[in-house]
Amino acid sequence: MTFALSILLCACSGAGQAKSYDIPSDVCGISVKPELLSPLLVAGDVLEERKSAEGGEYWKCRLLVDSKLSLVAEGGMLGGFRDPMEETAVAKRREEDVVRVRIGGEEAVLWASGAAVTFPCETSLFGSFVGVRLTTGDTEGEQKERRAHVKAFAEDFVAELKNHHQCAS
């Protein structure tokens, strides 16, 4: 009876879909907490990271689950401050509400399937600021809950990115 009830609860809640892959502890070479990354990734069997640019002034990588886009992390060194609101084309296309927030104490914008952050990084070889955009592939579910998951992951990612680049801020 208990076993049948748990199967029924899983099926009804949508939690019956499993992630048959290991959640990575880094994204684009940046250490992350798997428990914060997991809610952003879709269910499936095979997780793959594809880097289209690495290091230098600009970097971008994608996490795909069963060949379906699940997360895009991209960023670059900037010569000056860029308003994160300029990085919200995906949110507008998906008709998601965009809100101004602070992530890691920095200027940011947040939406249900992504975030954009700009922060000073005086030790950068290429510029004095870093701009980061994170976008998830899955947009299902309640926007408020998804936004909370995106923000928690972005907080962790930005903190680790600052450490990686040895930013003074």
Side-chain angles (χ1 to χ4, degrees), residues 8-167:
L8 180 61
L9 288 173
C10 287
C12 293
S13 69
Q17 297 176 341
K19 294 175 183 163
S20 300
Y21 53 86
D22 292 330
I23 306 298
S25 59
D26 73 75
V27 172
C28 296
I30 303 300
S31 295
V32 297
K33 293 182 178 111
E35 65 272 15
L36 297 177
L37 175 58
S38 182
L40 304 182
L41 301 177
V42 297
D45 296 319
V46 179
L47 177 90
E48 169 187 8
E49 182 178 81
R50 290 189 189 160
K51 296 179 183 178
S52 54
E54 185 175 7
E57 291 184 58
Y58 176 75
W59 49 268
K60 181 176 184 175
C61 65
R62 295 172 178 89
L63 296 181
L64 295 100
V65 176
D66 298 340
S67 300
K68 181 180 176 187
L69 186 62
S70 195
L71 177 75
V72 177
E74 59 189 313
M77 307 302 175
L78 308 171
F81 178 80
R82 180 183 303 157
D83 187 345
M85 192 61 84
E86 295 176 24
E87 301 295 325
T88 60
V90 171
K92 290 174 186 171
R93 189 170 59 248
R94 293 177 177 175
E95 299 180 358
E96 296 175 356
D97 294 332
V98 177
V99 295
R100 285 194 179 272
V101 295
R102 298 200 63 85
I103 291 179
E106 309 296 348
E107 293 282 331
V109 292
L110 181 66
W111 59 97
S113 63
V117 185
T118 299
F119 59 89
C121 189
E122 295 300 328
T123 63
S124 165
L125 298 174
F126 300 103
S128 57
F129 285 84
V130 173
V132 177
R133 183 174 57 206
L134 303 166
T135 309
T136 65
D138 182 23
T139 60
E140 293 182 15
E142 186 181 322
Q143 283 197 25
K144 184 177 179 180
E145 181 181 350
R146 290 193 48 78
R147 193 179 296 131
H149 289 303
V150 169
K151 185 175 185 189
F153 176 74
E155 293 266 358
D156 182 48
F157 190 80
V158 166
E160 290 299 324
L161 191 59
K162 285 179 177 181
N163 287 338
H164 179 79
H165 287 294
Q166 299 176 343
C167 300

